[in-house]
Protein backbone atom coordinates (compact mmCIF):
# COMPACT_ATOMS: atom_id res chain seq x y z
CA UNK A 1 0.00 0.00 0.00
CA UNK A 2 1.45 3.38 -1.05
CA UNK A 3 1.00 6.39 1.25
CA UNK A 4 1.43 9.92 -0.10
CA UNK A 5 1.60 12.88 2.25
CA UNK A 6 -0.04 15.80 0.46
CA UNK A 7 0.53 18.27 3.23
CA UNK A 8 3.92 19.15 4.58
CA UNK A 9 4.02 21.45 7.58
CA UNK A 10 6.74 24.07 7.38
CA UNK A 11 5.20 26.59 9.56
CA UNK A 12 2.30 25.67 11.76
CA UNK A 13 -0.94 26.92 10.28
CA UNK A 14 0.74 27.77 6.95
CA UNK A 15 -0.28 26.14 3.78
CA UNK A 16 2.43 24.93 1.39
CA UNK A 17 2.23 23.94 -2.27
CA UNK A 18 3.18 20.39 -3.33
CA UNK A 19 5.08 19.37 -6.44
CA UNK A 20 2.66 16.95 -8.12
CA UNK A 21 5.32 15.70 -10.56
CA UNK A 22 7.51 14.61 -7.66
CA UNK A 23 4.60 12.80 -6.03
CA UNK A 24 3.69 11.01 -9.26
CA UNK A 25 7.32 10.13 -9.87
CA UNK A 26 7.60 8.70 -6.41
CA UNK A 27 4.42 6.66 -6.94
CA UNK A 28 5.80 5.34 -10.23
CA UNK A 29 8.99 4.19 -8.52
CA UNK A 30 7.07 2.37 -5.83
CA UNK A 31 4.73 0.80 -8.32
CA UNK A 32 7.61 -0.45 -10.50
CA UNK A 33 9.30 -2.04 -7.49
CA UNK A 34 6.12 -3.91 -6.58
CA UNK A 35 5.66 -5.13 -10.15
CA UNK A 36 9.19 -6.44 -10.22
CA UNK A 37 8.67 -8.23 -6.94
CA UNK A 38 5.42 -9.75 -8.27
CA UNK A 39 7.22 -10.85 -11.43
CA UNK A 40 9.96 -12.51 -9.37
CA UNK A 41 7.39 -14.35 -7.22
CA UNK A 42 5.48 -15.41 -10.32
CA UNK A 43 8.68 -16.68 -11.94
CA UNK A 44 9.50 -18.65 -8.81
CA UNK A 45 6.04 -20.16 -8.83
CA UNK A 46 6.38 -21.06 -12.50
CA UNK A 47 9.76 -22.67 -11.83
CA UNK A 48 8.32 -24.66 -8.91
CA UNK A 49 5.35 -25.73 -11.03
CA UNK A 50 7.66 -26.77 -13.87
CA UNK A 51 9.85 -28.74 -11.46
CA UNK A 52 6.75 -30.40 -10.01
CA UNK A 53 5.49 -31.33 -13.47
CA UNK A 54 8.88 -32.77 -14.44
CA UNK A 55 9.14 -34.75 -11.19
CA UNK A 56 5.59 -36.02 -11.61
CA UNK A 57 6.31 -37.01 -15.18
CA UNK A 58 9.49 -38.86 -14.15
CA UNK A 59 7.62 -40.64 -11.35
CA UNK A 60 4.75 -41.60 -13.63
CA UNK A 61 7.17 -42.84 -16.30
CA UNK A 62 9.12 -44.95 -13.80
CA UNK A 63 6.02 -46.25 -12.05
CA UNK A 64 4.32 -47.00 -15.37
CA UNK A 65 7.37 -48.96 -16.52
CA UNK A 66 7.24 -51.05 -13.34
CA UNK A 67 3.53 -51.67 -13.80
CA UNK A 68 4.09 -52.71 -17.41
CA UNK A 69 6.88 -55.09 -16.40
CA UNK A 70 4.68 -56.57 -13.67
CA UNK A 71 1.82 -56.96 -16.15
CA UNK A 72 4.10 -58.62 -18.70
CA UNK A 73 5.43 -61.02 -16.05
CA UNK A 74 1.91 -61.91 -14.97
CA UNK A 75 0.85 -62.38 -18.57
CA UNK A 76 3.84 -64.66 -19.22
CA UNK A 77 3.12 -66.67 -16.08
CA UNK A 78 -0.54 -66.96 -17.01
CA UNK A 79 0.35 -68.14 -20.52
CA UNK A 80 2.78 -70.72 -19.13
CA UNK A 81 0.24 -72.05 -16.62
CA UNK A 82 -2.50 -72.09 -19.24
CA UNK A 83 -0.26 -74.06 -21.59
CA UNK A 84 0.65 -76.44 -18.76
CA UNK A 85 -2.99 -76.95 -17.80
CA UNK A 86 -3.92 -77.48 -21.45
CA UNK A 87 -1.15 -80.03 -21.84
CA UNK A 88 -2.27 -81.76 -18.64
CA UNK A 89 -5.89 -81.81 -19.83
CA UNK A 90 -4.80 -83.24 -23.18
CA UNK A 91 -2.68 -85.84 -21.39
CA UNK A 92 -5.62 -86.86 -19.19
CA UNK A 93 -7.86 -87.06 -22.23
CA UNK A 94 -5.27 -89.16 -24.05
CA UNK A 95 -4.93 -91.47 -21.04
CA UNK A 96 -8.71 -91.92 -20.86
CA UNK A 97 -8.78 -92.67 -24.58
CA UNK A 98 -6.01 -95.24 -24.21
CA UNK A 99 -7.83 -96.84 -21.28
CA UNK A 100 -10.99 -97.18 -23.36
CA UNK A 101 -9.05 -98.65 -26.27
CA UNK A 102 -7.30 -101.04 -23.89
CA UNK A 103 -10.63 -102.09 -22.41
CA UNK A 104 -12.05 -102.70 -25.89
CA UNK A 105 -9.01 -104.79 -26.82
CA UNK A 106 -9.26 -106.77 -23.59
CA UNK A 107 -12.92 -107.49 -24.28
CA UNK A 108 -12.08 -108.57 -27.82
CA UNK A 109 -9.30 -110.81 -26.56
CA UNK A 110 -11.61 -112.27 -23.92
CA UNK A 111 -14.30 -112.85 -26.56
CA UNK A 112 -11.84 -114.56 -28.88
CA UNK A 113 -10.54 -116.65 -25.98
CA UNK A 114 -14.08 -117.63 -25.04
CA UNK A 115 -14.87 -118.47 -28.63
CA UNK A 116 -11.76 -120.62 -28.79
CA UNK A 117 -12.75 -122.43 -25.61
CA UNK A 118 -16.33 -122.79 -26.80
CA UNK A 119 -15.16 -124.10 -30.15
CA UNK A 120 -12.99 -126.68 -28.44
CA UNK A 121 -15.90 -127.67 -26.24
CA UNK A 122 -18.22 -127.93 -29.23
CA UNK A 123 -15.74 -130.08 -31.10
CA UNK A 124 -15.30 -132.39 -28.11
CA UNK A 125 -19.06 -132.56 -27.54
CA UNK A 126 -19.61 -133.43 -31.18
CA UNK A 127 -16.91 -136.05 -30.90
CA UNK A 128 -18.61 -137.43 -27.80
CA UNK A 129 -21.97 -137.58 -29.57
CA UNK A 130 -20.45 -139.20 -32.62
CA UNK A 131 -18.54 -141.90 -30.74
CA UNK A 132 -20.68 -142.75 -27.75
CA UNK A 133 -24.36 -142.34 -28.59
CA UNK A 134 -26.32 -145.55 -29.14
CA UNK A 135 -26.69 -146.75 -32.71
CA UNK A 136 -30.48 -146.44 -32.49
CA UNK A 137 -30.28 -142.71 -31.69
CA UNK A 138 -29.64 -139.85 -34.10
CA UNK A 139 -29.89 -136.11 -33.78
CA UNK A 140 -31.83 -133.71 -35.89
CA UNK A 141 -30.44 -130.46 -34.42
CA UNK A 142 -27.88 -129.21 -31.94
CA UNK A 143 -27.75 -125.65 -30.55
CA UNK A 144 -25.78 -123.75 -27.91
CA UNK A 145 -26.25 -120.79 -25.65
CA UNK A 146 -23.88 -119.38 -23.03
CA UNK A 147 -24.54 -122.12 -20.48
CA UNK A 148 -26.25 -125.04 -22.22
CA UNK A 149 -26.42 -127.39 -25.16
CA UNK A 150 -29.81 -128.33 -26.62
CA UNK A 151 -30.21 -131.62 -28.47
CA UNK A 152 -33.20 -132.65 -30.57
CA UNK A 153 -33.34 -136.12 -32.10
CA UNK A 154 -34.98 -139.51 -32.39
CA UNK A 155 -34.60 -142.83 -30.64
CA UNK A 156 -36.06 -146.20 -31.55
CA UNK A 157 -37.11 -147.07 -27.98
CA UNK A 158 -37.28 -145.78 -24.44
CA UNK A 159 -34.24 -147.84 -23.51
CA UNK A 160 -32.24 -146.04 -26.19
CA UNK A 161 -33.30 -142.71 -24.69
CA UNK A 162 -32.24 -143.91 -21.23
CA UNK A 163 -28.85 -145.04 -22.53
CA UNK A 164 -28.34 -141.68 -24.23
CA UNK A 165 -29.11 -139.76 -21.04
CA UNK A 166 -26.68 -141.93 -19.05
CA UNK A 167 -23.88 -141.32 -21.55
CA UNK A 168 -24.44 -137.55 -21.57
CA UNK A 169 -24.71 -137.29 -17.79
CA UNK A 170 -21.35 -139.06 -17.35
CA UNK A 171 -19.55 -136.63 -19.66
CA UNK A 172 -17.08 -134.24 -18.02
CA UNK A 173 -18.35 -131.44 -20.28
CA UNK A 174 -21.82 -131.44 -18.77
CA UNK A 175 -22.71 -130.48 -15.24
CA UNK A 176 -26.31 -131.59 -15.55
CA UNK A 177 -28.41 -133.43 -18.15
CA UNK A 178 -32.21 -133.37 -18.32
CA UNK A 179 -34.88 -134.70 -20.66
CA UNK A 180 -37.10 -131.78 -21.61
CA UNK A 181 -39.55 -133.70 -23.80
CA UNK A 182 -40.19 -137.18 -25.11
CA UNK A 183 -42.96 -137.72 -27.66
CA UNK A 184 -44.09 -140.62 -29.76
CA UNK A 185 -43.93 -139.76 -33.44
CA UNK A 186 -44.96 -141.88 -36.39
CA UNK A 187 -42.30 -142.15 -39.05
CA UNK A 188 -43.29 -143.22 -42.58
CA UNK A 189 -40.54 -145.81 -42.99
CA UNK A 190 -39.26 -146.52 -39.48
CA UNK A 191 -42.59 -146.67 -37.73
CA UNK A 192 -43.11 -145.37 -34.23
CA UNK A 193 -40.15 -143.37 -32.87
CA UNK A 194 -39.33 -141.38 -29.77
CA UNK A 195 -38.71 -137.69 -30.44
CA UNK A 196 -36.64 -136.25 -27.61
CA UNK A 197 -35.42 -132.83 -26.55
CA UNK A 198 -32.49 -132.81 -24.11
CA UNK A 199 -30.75 -130.00 -22.30
CA UNK A 200 -27.18 -130.36 -21.07
CA UNK A 201 -25.79 -127.66 -18.79
CA UNK A 202 -22.13 -126.98 -19.57
CA UNK A 203 -19.39 -127.41 -17.01
CA UNK A 204 -17.91 -123.91 -16.60
CA UNK A 205 -14.72 -125.00 -14.85
CA UNK A 206 -13.27 -126.57 -17.95
Amino acid sequence: MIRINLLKAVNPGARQSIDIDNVIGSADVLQGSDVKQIQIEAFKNLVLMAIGVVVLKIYESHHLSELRRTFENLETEYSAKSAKNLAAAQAVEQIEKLKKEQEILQNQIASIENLRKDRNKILKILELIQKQIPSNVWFQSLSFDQNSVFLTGYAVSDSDVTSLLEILSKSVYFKETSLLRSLDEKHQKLGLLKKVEIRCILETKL
Side-chain angles (χ1 to χ4, degrees):
M1 182 176 181
I2 302 172
R3 294 181 179 180
I4 302 174
N5 295 323
L6 297 178
L7 297 178
K8 185 176 181 182
V10 177
N11 294 317
R15 217 169 168 72
Q16 300 293 332
S17 63
I18 299 173
D19 190 348
I20 300 300
D21 292 335
N22 290 336
V23 174
I24 293 174
S26 177
D28 290 338
V29 171
L30 292 174
Q31 186 176 5
S33 176
D34 288 343
V35 169
K36 187 175 181 180
Q37 185 66 29
I38 291 172
Q39 289 176 346
I40 292 173
E41 293 296 329
F43 178 74
K44 288 181 179 179
N45 291 335
L46 288 174
V47 170
L48 290 175
M49 289 177 62
I51 292 173
V53 170
V54 171
V55 172
L56 181 61
K57 187 174 182 180
I58 293 173
Y59 172 78
E60 288 180 347
S61 178
H62 179 71
H63 191 58
L64 183 61
S65 297
E66 289 185 352
L67 289 176
R68 284 178 177 173
R69 284 195 299 270
T70 303
F71 176 77
E72 290 174 356
N73 292 336
L74 290 175
E75 190 174 30
T76 301
E77 185 178 358
Y78 172 77
S79 299
K81 289 185 177 180
S82 297
K84 185 177 180 180
N85 291 335
L86 180 60
Q90 291 176 347
V92 171
E93 183 178 356
Q94 188 69 20
I95 290 172
E96 292 298 326
K97 184 178 179 181
L98 290 175
K99 284 183 179 179
K100 290 181 180 179
E101 291 179 355
Q102 185 180 18
E103 184 178 355
I104 292 173
L105 288 175
Q106 287 178 344
N107 291 335
Q108 291 177 347
I109 292 172
S111 298
I112 293 172
E113 186 67 19
N114 290 333
L115 287 174
R116 185 183 66 81
K117 291 180 180 179
D118 291 342
R119 183 188 63 184
N120 291 335
K121 283 184 180 180
I122 292 171
L123 291 175
K124 290 178 180 180
I125 290 170
L126 290 175
E127 183 180 1
L128 169 70
I129 293 172
Q130 182 181 2
K131 290 182 177 181
Q132 297 187 24
I133 63 171
S135 58
N136 291 331
V137 176
W138 61 95
F139 291 104
Q140 186 181 27
S141 65
L142 185 149
S143 61
F144 293 83
D145 64 15
Q146 189 174 1
N147 300 315
S148 304
V149 177
F150 296 90
L151 301 169
T152 302
Y154 293 92
V156 173
S157 64
D158 290 332
S159 60
D160 294 325
V161 176
T162 302
S163 298
L164 174 63
L165 292 174
E166 289 178 356
I167 292 171
L168 295 175
S169 61
K170 291 178 182 179
S171 173
V172 294
Y173 300 109
F174 301 136
K175 184 164 56 176
E176 182 181 337
T177 301
S178 58
L179 179 63
L180 298 179
R181 186 179 300 177
S182 178
L183 300 173
D184 292 333
E185 187 173 298
K186 182 75 172 180
H187 194 273
Q188 187 176 3
K189 294 182 179 181
L190 300 176
L192 188 63
L193 298 175
K194 294 289 185 179
K195 184 176 182 179
V196 294
E197 294 181 7
I198 299 172
R199 180 190 181 189
C200 301
I201 299 176
L202 293 170
E203 179 59 67
T204 56
K205 296 180 180 181
L206 296 177

